[in-house]
Amino acid sequence: YIQQNLNALKKAINSSWGFKDFDGLALCFDRANAGEKILLISAVQEFINFIEIEEDMKIKIESLLRFDYKKKQRKLPPFFEITIFHTAIERLRSEWNEKEEKKYYPLVLWWLLTTMIPMRPREFCLIPFDCLLGKEGDFKLRVCRLKQKGKNGDPIYIEEVPISFEIAKLILSYLEIVKDYPKSDYLLNLDMHYECNNLNVGNKRNNIFYLLQLRELLREFYQEIML
């Protein structure tokens, strides 16, 4: 992940001739996909806070960063609540038995992936089974993107987003757990979910893990783990 940020910073520096050519930096952002922009904004923001550059240029760059990500910003709950939830997730991972692991792994994936990658819940549910690309040190995640917000039947396209080795290991561990269940077109295995929740598999409409299942899993997590 650090290497990816360094590569993004190097690209920004080269494109802007050492943060002297704003048009070059803007063009660099225009040509980047959403995953690359996440890395660019993190690297550039940290760097311009560290180095001395002309004030006018700094204002332009900060305006560029805000403009590119304004529409992607999400209203987050209070930091204290985020910390409590994250602590509960990590405690569960360190203590869970086999049944709890199978049941709550999709929720763990949702939390850890969406805190790293801007992603709608439905986009998370539609992550394809063959979602990992690359090798150690250079992994990318294939993410389904909806062109419009949230209804079934919306146009979908695939975006490849850089991820850390730790996130890749998390996904690989989940794939190992679901290998004995019928293979789905999607990462989240609905057969395992139905088994862990004592549901009738015959009532499935298809193999898609819907937002409804994710919300129900979240509700049970609050009741069984957090209370």
Side-chain angles (χ1 to χ4, degrees):
Y1 179 75
I2 294 174
Q3 186 62 54
Q4 290 171 346
N5 273 270
L6 290 174
N7 290 340
L9 180 59
K10 181 179 178 181
K11 184 180 293 186
I13 292 172
N14 290 339
S15 300
S16 62
W17 294 89
F19 294 108
K20 295 180 180 179
D21 179 9
F22 177 75
D23 290 339
L25 182 63
L27 184 61
C28 176
F29 267 79
D30 287 341
R31 291 176 174 174
N33 61 38
E36 292 169 339
K37 284 183 178 181
I38 293 172
L39 295 172
L40 277 170
I41 191 172
S42 173
V44 171
Q45 187 65 67
E46 288 290 335
F47 197 66
I48 64 173
N49 288 337
F50 177 74
I51 65 170
E52 292 185 6
I53 60 175
E54 294 182 3
E55 188 63 25
D56 287 348
M57 176 61 74
K58 186 173 183 179
I59 292 172
K60 286 182 179 180
I61 293 174
E62 290 180 338
S63 297
L64 173 67
L65 302 184
R66 287 196 299 271
F67 175 79
D68 267 306
Y69 285 85
K70 184 177 181 180
K71 62 182 180 181
K72 294 183 180 179
Q73 290 173 352
R74 296 175 294 175
K75 186 177 180 181
L76 297 175
F79 181 73
F80 179 67
E81 293 181 16
I82 295 175
T83 303
I84 291 176
F85 188 85
H86 183 75
T87 300
I89 287 284
E90 291 302 309
R91 185 178 70 246
L92 174 64
R93 291 180 63 196
S94 67
E95 300 175 351
W96 59 18
N97 55 40
E98 182 179 352
K99 182 178 180 180
E100 290 172 334
E101 183 179 26
K102 287 183 175 182
K103 179 175 181 177
Y104 287 113
Y105 214 117
L107 189 65
V108 170
L109 282 174
W110 166 75
W111 176 249
L112 296 180
L113 282 178
T114 56
T115 53
M116 296 290 295
I117 304 169
M119 193 185 314
R120 297 178 183 133
R122 178 158 165 74
E123 290 174 336
F124 168 72
C125 293
L126 292 176
I127 292 176
F129 181 83
D130 299 318
C131 60
L132 277 182
L133 300 174
K135 56 185 179 179
E136 184 173 348
D138 188 26
F139 277 106
K140 290 185 178 181
L141 179 68
R142 299 175 68 235
V143 179
C144 285
R145 294 301 195 188
L146 304 176
K147 290 185 180 295
Q148 297 179 2
K149 188 174 180 180
K151 295 183 179 179
N152 295 342
D154 285 343
I156 294 173
Y157 68 98
I158 298 291
E159 179 184 13
E160 297 176 3
V161 181
I163 57 172
S164 68
F165 181 48
E166 293 302 316
I167 294 295
K169 285 198 300 182
L170 191 73
I171 295 171
L172 289 170
S173 296
Y174 180 74
L175 292 175
E176 181 67 21
I177 292 172
V178 302
K179 68 179 182 180
D180 294 328
Y181 293 87
K183 185 177 178 180
S184 169
D185 293 333
Y186 305 97
L187 174 63
L188 302 181
N189 191 286
L190 199 57
D191 287 276
M192 187 171 75
H193 173 75
Y194 270 61
E195 177 188 274
C196 294
N197 290 276
N198 300 315
L199 301 173
N200 185 355
V201 179
N203 292 332
K204 290 193 308 178
R205 287 184 290 170
N206 50 43
N207 285 323
I208 299 177
F209 196 102
Y210 282 103
L211 182 57
L212 178 64
Q213 275 105 19
L214 188 62
R215 286 174 174 166
E216 182 65 18
L217 201 57
L218 183 60
R219 183 186 64 80
E220 292 184 11
F221 178 78
Y222 278 120
Q223 292 178 345
E224 297 179 0
I225 306 299
M226 294 195 68
L227 293 183

